[in-house]
PDB file of all heavy atoms in Angstrom:
ATOM      1  N   ILE L 104     101.361  85.474 108.168  1.00 98.00           N
ATOM      2  CA  ILE L 104     101.824  84.245 108.823  1.00 98.00           C
ATOM      3  C   ILE L 104     102.956  83.623 108.002  1.00 98.00           C
ATOM      4  O   ILE L 104     103.985  83.217 108.546  1.00 98.00           O
ATOM      5  CB  ILE L 104     100.638  83.266 108.995  1.00 98.00           C
ATOM      6  CG1 ILE L 104      99.597  83.873 109.948  1.00 98.00           C
ATOM      7  CG2 ILE L 104     101.124  81.918 109.501  1.00 98.00           C
ATOM      8  CD1 ILE L 104      98.284  83.102 110.030  1.00 98.00           C
ATOM      9  N   ALA L 105     102.758  83.566 106.701  1.00 98.00           N
ATOM     10  CA  ALA L 105     103.803  83.000 105.830  1.00 98.00           C
ATOM     11  C   ALA L 105     105.106  83.787 105.979  1.00 98.00           C
ATOM     12  O   ALA L 105     106.204  83.215 105.956  1.00 98.00           O
ATOM     13  CB  ALA L 105     103.342  82.998 104.369  1.00 98.00           C
ATOM     14  N   ASP L 106     104.968  85.094 106.150  1.00 97.00           N
ATOM     15  CA  ASP L 106     106.156  85.929 106.273  1.00 97.00           C
ATOM     16  C   ASP L 106     106.930  85.646 107.565  1.00 97.00           C
ATOM     17  O   ASP L 106     108.093  86.030 107.690  1.00 97.00           O
ATOM     18  CB  ASP L 106     105.792  87.420 106.187  1.00 97.00           C
ATOM     19  CG  ASP L 106     105.408  87.833 104.769  1.00 97.00           C
ATOM     20  OD1 ASP L 106     105.698  87.060 103.824  1.00 97.00           O
ATOM     21  OD2 ASP L 106     104.818  88.914 104.596  1.00 97.00           O
ATOM     22  N   GLN L 107     106.270  85.001 108.522  1.00 98.00           N
ATOM     23  CA  GLN L 107     106.981  84.599 109.749  1.00 98.00           C
ATOM     24  C   GLN L 107     107.944  83.451 109.478  1.00 98.00           C
ATOM     25  O   GLN L 107     108.806  83.151 110.293  1.00 98.00           O
ATOM     26  CB  GLN L 107     105.986  84.137 110.826  1.00 98.00           C
ATOM     27  CG  GLN L 107     104.928  85.144 111.189  1.00 98.00           C
ATOM     28  CD  GLN L 107     105.514  86.308 111.935  1.00 98.00           C
ATOM     29  OE1 GLN L 107     106.218  86.128 112.918  1.00 98.00           O
ATOM     30  NE2 GLN L 107     105.265  87.507 111.446  1.00 98.00           N
ATOM     31  N   ASN L 108     107.747  82.763 108.381  1.00 98.00           N
ATOM     32  CA  ASN L 108     108.716  81.728 108.003  1.00 98.00           C
ATOM     33  C   ASN L 108     109.902  82.412 107.336  1.00 98.00           C
ATOM     34  O   ASN L 108     109.729  83.207 106.415  1.00 98.00           O
ATOM     35  CB  ASN L 108     108.084  80.723 107.030  1.00 98.00           C
ATOM     36  CG  ASN L 108     107.013  79.880 107.698  1.00 98.00           C
ATOM     37  OD1 ASN L 108     107.123  79.554 108.883  1.00 98.00           O
ATOM     38  ND2 ASN L 108     105.968  79.540 106.954  1.00 98.00           N
ATOM     39  N   LYS L 109     111.067  82.092 107.829  1.00 97.00           N
ATOM     40  CA  LYS L 109     112.261  82.746 107.298  1.00 97.00           C
ATOM     41  C   LYS L 109     112.893  81.781 106.296  1.00 97.00           C
ATOM     42  O   LYS L 109     113.264  80.654 106.652  1.00 97.00           O
ATOM     43  CB  LYS L 109     113.215  83.024 108.468  1.00 97.00           C
ATOM     44  CG  LYS L 109     114.338  83.972 108.121  1.00 97.00           C
ATOM     45  CD  LYS L 109     115.161  84.301 109.361  1.00 97.00           C
ATOM     46  CE  LYS L 109     116.642  84.164 109.043  1.00 97.00           C
ATOM     47  NZ  LYS L 109     117.475  83.983 110.236  1.00 97.00           N
ATOM     48  N   ILE L 110     112.977  82.227 105.063  1.00 96.00           N
ATOM     49  CA  ILE L 110     113.467  81.319 104.033  1.00 96.00           C
ATOM     50  C   ILE L 110     114.989  81.390 103.949  1.00 96.00           C
ATOM     51  O   ILE L 110     115.556  82.362 103.462  1.00 96.00           O
ATOM     52  CB  ILE L 110     112.867  81.653 102.661  1.00 96.00           C
ATOM     53  CG1 ILE L 110     111.340  81.731 102.739  1.00 96.00           C
ATOM     54  CG2 ILE L 110     113.306  80.623 101.613  1.00 96.00           C
ATOM     55  CD1 ILE L 110     110.657  80.482 103.248  1.00 96.00           C
ATOM     56  N   ALA L 111     115.631  80.367 104.468  1.00 97.00           N
ATOM     57  CA  ALA L 111     117.091  80.268 104.349  1.00 97.00           C
ATOM     58  C   ALA L 111     117.412  79.288 103.227  1.00 97.00           C
ATOM     59  O   ALA L 111     116.539  78.588 102.726  1.00 97.00           O
ATOM     60  CB  ALA L 111     117.671  79.757 105.655  1.00 97.00           C
ATOM     61  N   ARG L 112     118.684  79.241 102.820  1.00 98.00           N
ATOM     62  CA  ARG L 112     119.078  78.147 101.926  1.00 98.00           C
ATOM     63  C   ARG L 112     119.393  76.962 102.829  1.00 98.00           C
ATOM     64  O   ARG L 112     120.283  77.018 103.670  1.00 98.00           O
ATOM     65  CB  ARG L 112     120.303  78.553 101.116  1.00 98.00           C
ATOM     66  CG  ARG L 112     119.953  79.302  99.853  1.00 98.00           C
ATOM     67  CD  ARG L 112     119.338  78.402  98.781  1.00 98.00           C
ATOM     68  NE  ARG L 112     120.350  77.512  98.218  1.00 98.00           N
ATOM     69  CZ  ARG L 112     120.077  76.374  97.587  1.00 98.00           C
ATOM     70  NH1 ARG L 112     118.826  75.985  97.415  1.00 98.00           N
ATOM     71  NH2 ARG L 112     121.046  75.649  97.108  1.00 98.00           N
ATOM     72  N   SER L 113     118.651  75.878 102.621  1.00 98.00           N
ATOM     73  CA  SER L 113     118.851  74.685 103.435  1.00 98.00           C
ATOM     74  C   SER L 113     119.642  73.649 102.640  1.00 98.00           C
ATOM     75  O   SER L 113     119.096  72.987 101.761  1.00 98.00           O
ATOM     76  CB  SER L 113     117.498  74.104 103.858  1.00 98.00           C
ATOM     77  OG  SER L 113     116.972  74.840 104.940  1.00 98.00           O
ATOM     78  N   LEU L 114     120.932  73.566 102.964  1.00 98.00           N
ATOM     79  CA  LEU L 114     121.778  72.560 102.292  1.00 98.00           C
ATOM     80  C   LEU L 114     121.856  71.346 103.205  1.00 98.00           C
ATOM     81  O   LEU L 114     122.938  70.831 103.511  1.00 98.00           O
ATOM     82  CB  LEU L 114     123.160  73.159 101.998  1.00 98.00           C
ATOM     83  CG  LEU L 114     123.120  74.531 101.291  1.00 98.00           C
ATOM     84  CD1 LEU L 114     124.531  75.030 100.994  1.00 98.00           C
ATOM     85  CD2 LEU L 114     122.324  74.449  99.990  1.00 98.00           C
ATOM     86  N   LEU L 115     120.684  70.932 103.671  1.00 98.00           N
ATOM     87  CA  LEU L 115     120.611  69.910 104.718  1.00 98.00           C
ATOM     88  C   LEU L 115     120.533  68.495 104.172  1.00 98.00           C
ATOM     89  O   LEU L 115     120.790  67.528 104.879  1.00 98.00           O
ATOM     90  CB  LEU L 115     119.371  70.170 105.590  1.00 98.00           C
ATOM     91  CG  LEU L 115     119.396  71.461 106.408  1.00 98.00           C
ATOM     92  CD1 LEU L 115     117.985  71.824 106.880  1.00 98.00           C
ATOM     93  CD2 LEU L 115     120.326  71.298 107.614  1.00 98.00           C
ATOM     94  N   GLY L 116     120.137  68.363 102.923  1.00 98.00           N
ATOM     95  CA  GLY L 116     120.030  67.022 102.344  1.00 98.00           C
ATOM     96  C   GLY L 116     119.003  66.178 103.069  1.00 98.00           C
ATOM     97  O   GLY L 116     117.897  66.621 103.330  1.00 98.00           O
ATOM     98  N   MET L 117     119.380  64.929 103.359  1.00 98.00           N
ATOM     99  CA  MET L 117     118.509  63.993 104.083  1.00 98.00           C
ATOM    100  C   MET L 117     117.208  63.712 103.338  1.00 98.00           C
ATOM    101  O   MET L 117     116.147  63.533 103.950  1.00 98.00           O
ATOM    102  CB  MET L 117     118.200  64.527 105.493  1.00 98.00           C
ATOM    103  CG  MET L 117     119.455  64.738 106.309  1.00 98.00           C
ATOM    104  SD  MET L 117     119.100  65.541 107.885  1.00 98.00           S
ATOM    105  CE  MET L 117     118.767  64.138 108.916  1.00 98.00           C
ATOM    106  N   GLY L 118     117.287  63.682 102.038  1.00 98.00           N
ATOM    107  CA  GLY L 118     116.120  63.298 101.260  1.00 98.00           C
ATOM    108  C   GLY L 118     115.271  64.458 100.791  1.00 98.00           C
ATOM    109  O   GLY L 118     114.227  64.245 100.162  1.00 98.00           O
ATOM    110  N   TYR L 119     115.703  65.675 101.070  1.00 98.00           N
ATOM    111  CA  TYR L 119     114.963  66.857 100.621  1.00 98.00           C
ATOM    112  C   TYR L 119     115.943  67.814  99.951  1.00 98.00           C
ATOM    113  O   TYR L 119     116.917  68.226 100.569  1.00 98.00           O
ATOM    114  CB  TYR L 119     114.276  67.550 101.793  1.00 98.00           C
ATOM    115  CG  TYR L 119     113.303  66.650 102.531  1.00 98.00           C
ATOM    116  CD1 TYR L 119     113.733  65.886 103.620  1.00 98.00           C
ATOM    117  CD2 TYR L 119     111.977  66.534 102.126  1.00 98.00           C
ATOM    118  CE1 TYR L 119     112.852  65.044 104.291  1.00 98.00           C
ATOM    119  CE2 TYR L 119     111.091  65.706 102.788  1.00 98.00           C
ATOM    120  CZ  TYR L 119     111.530  64.959 103.874  1.00 98.00           C
ATOM    121  OH  TYR L 119     110.660  64.121 104.528  1.00 98.00           O
ATOM    122  N   ALA L 120     115.701  68.122  98.706  1.00 98.00           N
ATOM    123  CA  ALA L 120     116.599  69.001  97.956  1.00 98.00           C
ATOM    124  C   ALA L 120     115.776  70.070  97.271  1.00 98.00           C
ATOM    125  O   ALA L 120     114.742  69.766  96.675  1.00 98.00           O
ATOM    126  CB  ALA L 120     117.374  68.183  96.918  1.00 98.00           C
ATOM    127  N   ASP L 121     116.231  71.293  97.338  1.00 98.00           N
ATOM    128  CA  ASP L 121     115.464  72.346  96.681  1.00 98.00           C
ATOM    129  C   ASP L 121     115.526  72.134  95.162  1.00 98.00           C
ATOM    130  O   ASP L 121     116.450  71.498  94.639  1.00 98.00           O
ATOM    131  CB  ASP L 121     115.983  73.736  97.073  1.00 98.00           C
ATOM    132  CG  ASP L 121     114.841  74.764  97.124  1.00 98.00           C
ATOM    133  OD1 ASP L 121     113.749  74.473  96.603  1.00 98.00           O
ATOM    134  OD2 ASP L 121     115.054  75.857  97.675  1.00 98.00           O
ATOM    135  N   THR L 122     114.545  72.642  94.477  1.00 98.00           N
ATOM    136  CA  THR L 122     114.379  72.330  93.061  1.00 98.00           C
ATOM    137  C   THR L 122     113.641  73.475  92.399  1.00 98.00           C
ATOM    138  O   THR L 122     112.984  74.272  93.076  1.00 98.00           O
ATOM    139  CB  THR L 122     113.576  71.015  92.932  1.00 98.00           C
ATOM    140  OG1 THR L 122     113.297  70.746  91.557  1.00 98.00           O
ATOM    141  CG2 THR L 122     112.231  71.103  93.663  1.00 98.00           C
ATOM    142  N   ILE L 123     113.778  73.580  91.101  1.00 98.00           N
ATOM    143  CA  ILE L 123     113.076  74.621  90.355  1.00 98.00           C
ATOM    144  C   ILE L 123     111.884  73.983  89.650  1.00 98.00           C
ATOM    145  O   ILE L 123     112.061  73.141  88.770  1.00 98.00           O
ATOM    146  CB  ILE L 123     114.019  75.286  89.328  1.00 98.00           C
ATOM    147  CG1 ILE L 123     115.172  76.000  90.052  1.00 98.00           C
ATOM    148  CG2 ILE L 123     113.237  76.245  88.435  1.00 98.00           C
ATOM    149  CD1 ILE L 123     116.259  76.544  89.136  1.00 98.00           C
ATOM    150  N   THR L 124     110.690  74.351  90.063  1.00 98.00           N
ATOM    151  CA  THR L 124     109.504  73.848  89.358  1.00 98.00           C
ATOM    152  C   THR L 124     109.368  74.644  88.068  1.00 98.00           C
ATOM    153  O   THR L 124     109.202  75.863  88.125  1.00 98.00           O
ATOM    154  CB  THR L 124     108.225  74.075  90.193  1.00 98.00           C
ATOM    155  OG1 THR L 124     108.458  73.641  91.528  1.00 98.00           O
ATOM    156  CG2 THR L 124     107.049  73.316  89.601  1.00 98.00           C
ATOM    157  N   PRO L 125     109.475  74.013  86.918  1.00 98.00           N
ATOM    158  CA  PRO L 125     109.281  74.793  85.691  1.00 98.00           C
ATOM    159  C   PRO L 125     107.936  75.503  85.757  1.00 98.00           C
ATOM    160  O   PRO L 125     106.908  74.898  86.105  1.00 98.00           O
ATOM    161  CB  PRO L 125     109.326  73.729  84.589  1.00 98.00           C
ATOM    162  CG  PRO L 125     110.159  72.613  85.170  1.00 98.00           C
ATOM    163  CD  PRO L 125     109.794  72.602  86.628  1.00 98.00           C
ATOM    164  N   THR L 126     107.939  76.795  85.468  1.00 98.00           N
ATOM    165  CA  THR L 126     106.724  77.578  85.699  1.00 98.00           C
ATOM    166  C   THR L 126     105.547  77.063  84.874  1.00 98.00           C
ATOM    167  O   THR L 126     104.402  77.148  85.309  1.00 98.00           O
ATOM    168  CB  THR L 126     106.958  79.079  85.422  1.00 98.00           C
ATOM    169  OG1 THR L 126     107.508  79.210  84.108  1.00 98.00           O
ATOM    170  CG2 THR L 126     107.922  79.684  86.435  1.00 98.00           C
ATOM    171  N   VAL L 127     105.838  76.514  83.702  1.00 98.00           N
ATOM    172  CA  VAL L 127     104.739  76.003  82.861  1.00 98.00           C
ATOM    173  C   VAL L 127     104.035  74.844  83.562  1.00 98.00           C
ATOM    174  O   VAL L 127     102.817  74.650  83.394  1.00 98.00           O
ATOM    175  CB  VAL L 127     105.250  75.624  81.452  1.00 98.00           C
ATOM    176  CG1 VAL L 127     106.250  74.481  81.503  1.00 98.00           C
ATOM    177  CG2 VAL L 127     104.103  75.270  80.516  1.00 98.00           C
ATOM    178  N   ILE L 128     104.764  74.106  84.378  1.00 98.00           N
ATOM    179  CA  ILE L 128     104.160  73.002  85.143  1.00 98.00           C
ATOM    180  C   ILE L 128     103.466  73.550  86.387  1.00 98.00           C
ATOM    181  O   ILE L 128     102.349  73.168  86.727  1.00 98.00           O
ATOM    182  CB  ILE L 128     105.238  71.963  85.522  1.00 98.00           C
ATOM    183  CG1 ILE L 128     105.853  71.357  84.251  1.00 98.00           C
ATOM    184  CG2 ILE L 128     104.663  70.869  86.411  1.00 98.00           C
ATOM    185  CD1 ILE L 128     107.049  70.448  84.496  1.00 98.00           C
ATOM    186  N   LEU L 129     104.142  74.471  87.055  1.00 98.00           N
ATOM    187  CA  LEU L 129     103.556  75.080  88.250  1.00 98.00           C
ATOM    188  C   LEU L 129     102.166  75.630  87.943  1.00 98.00           C
ATOM    189  O   LEU L 129     101.179  75.322  88.610  1.00 98.00           O
ATOM    190  CB  LEU L 129     104.459  76.222  88.734  1.00 98.00           C
ATOM    191  CG  LEU L 129     103.952  76.972  89.963  1.00 98.00           C
ATOM    192  CD1 LEU L 129     104.140  76.118  91.211  1.00 98.00           C
ATOM    193  CD2 LEU L 129     104.665  78.311  90.133  1.00 98.00           C
ATOM    194  N   ARG L 130     102.098  76.438  86.901  1.00 98.00           N
ATOM    195  CA  ARG L 130     100.835  77.124  86.630  1.00 98.00           C
ATOM    196  C   ARG L 130      99.784  76.209  86.015  1.00 98.00           C
ATOM    197  O   ARG L 130      98.607  76.322  86.345  1.00 98.00           O
ATOM    198  CB  ARG L 130     101.086  78.320  85.709  1.00 98.00           C
ATOM    199  CG  ARG L 130      99.816  79.036  85.362  1.00 98.00           C
ATOM    200  CD  ARG L 130     100.010  80.464  84.961  1.00 98.00           C
ATOM    201  NE  ARG L 130     100.171  81.344  86.101  1.00 98.00           N
ATOM    202  CZ  ARG L 130     100.278  82.665  86.006  1.00 98.00           C
ATOM    203  NH1 ARG L 130     100.265  83.229  84.829  1.00 98.00           N
ATOM    204  NH2 ARG L 130     100.411  83.408  87.085  1.00 98.00           N
ATOM    205  N   ASN L 131     100.196  75.334  85.147  1.00 98.00           N
ATOM    206  CA  ASN L 131      99.202  74.583  84.382  1.00 98.00           C
ATOM    207  C   ASN L 131      98.916  73.185  84.915  1.00 98.00           C
ATOM    208  O   ASN L 131      97.985  72.532  84.456  1.00 98.00           O
ATOM    209  CB  ASN L 131      99.612  74.549  82.908  1.00 98.00           C
ATOM    210  CG  ASN L 131      99.682  75.948  82.328  1.00 98.00           C
ATOM    211  OD1 ASN L 131      98.669  76.602  82.190  1.00 98.00           O
ATOM    212  ND2 ASN L 131     100.891  76.422  82.070  1.00 98.00           N
ATOM    213  N   VAL L 132      99.712  72.735  85.874  1.00 98.00           N
ATOM    214  CA  VAL L 132      99.376  71.481  86.566  1.00 98.00           C
ATOM    215  C   VAL L 132      99.001  71.801  88.016  1.00 98.00           C
ATOM    216  O   VAL L 132      97.851  71.671  88.419  1.00 98.00           O
ATOM    217  CB  VAL L 132     100.530  70.452  86.502  1.00 98.00           C
ATOM    218  CG1 VAL L 132     100.140  69.185  87.263  1.00 98.00           C
ATOM    219  CG2 VAL L 132     100.866  70.117  85.051  1.00 98.00           C
ATOM    220  N   VAL L 133      99.973  72.276  88.789  1.00 98.00           N
ATOM    221  CA  VAL L 133      99.724  72.475  90.224  1.00 98.00           C
ATOM    222  C   VAL L 133      98.580  73.457  90.473  1.00 98.00           C
ATOM    223  O   VAL L 133      97.791  73.269  91.393  1.00 98.00           O
ATOM    224  CB  VAL L 133     101.002  72.985  90.932  1.00 98.00           C
ATOM    225  CG1 VAL L 133     100.756  73.112  92.430  1.00 98.00           C
ATOM    226  CG2 VAL L 133     102.182  72.085  90.642  1.00 98.00           C
TER     227      VAL L 133
END
Side-chain angles (χ1 to χ4, degrees):
Chain L
I104 296 171
D106 288 345
Q107 304 290 308
N108 292 326
K109 193 175 133 201
I110 308 303
R112 274 288 289 159
S113 281
L114 310 182
L115 294 163
M117 301 173 88
Y119 301 91
D121 213 345
T122 175
I123 297 173
T124 312
T126 53
V127 64
I128 298 173
L129 179 74
R130 178 156 280 184
N131 299 292
V132 179
V133 183

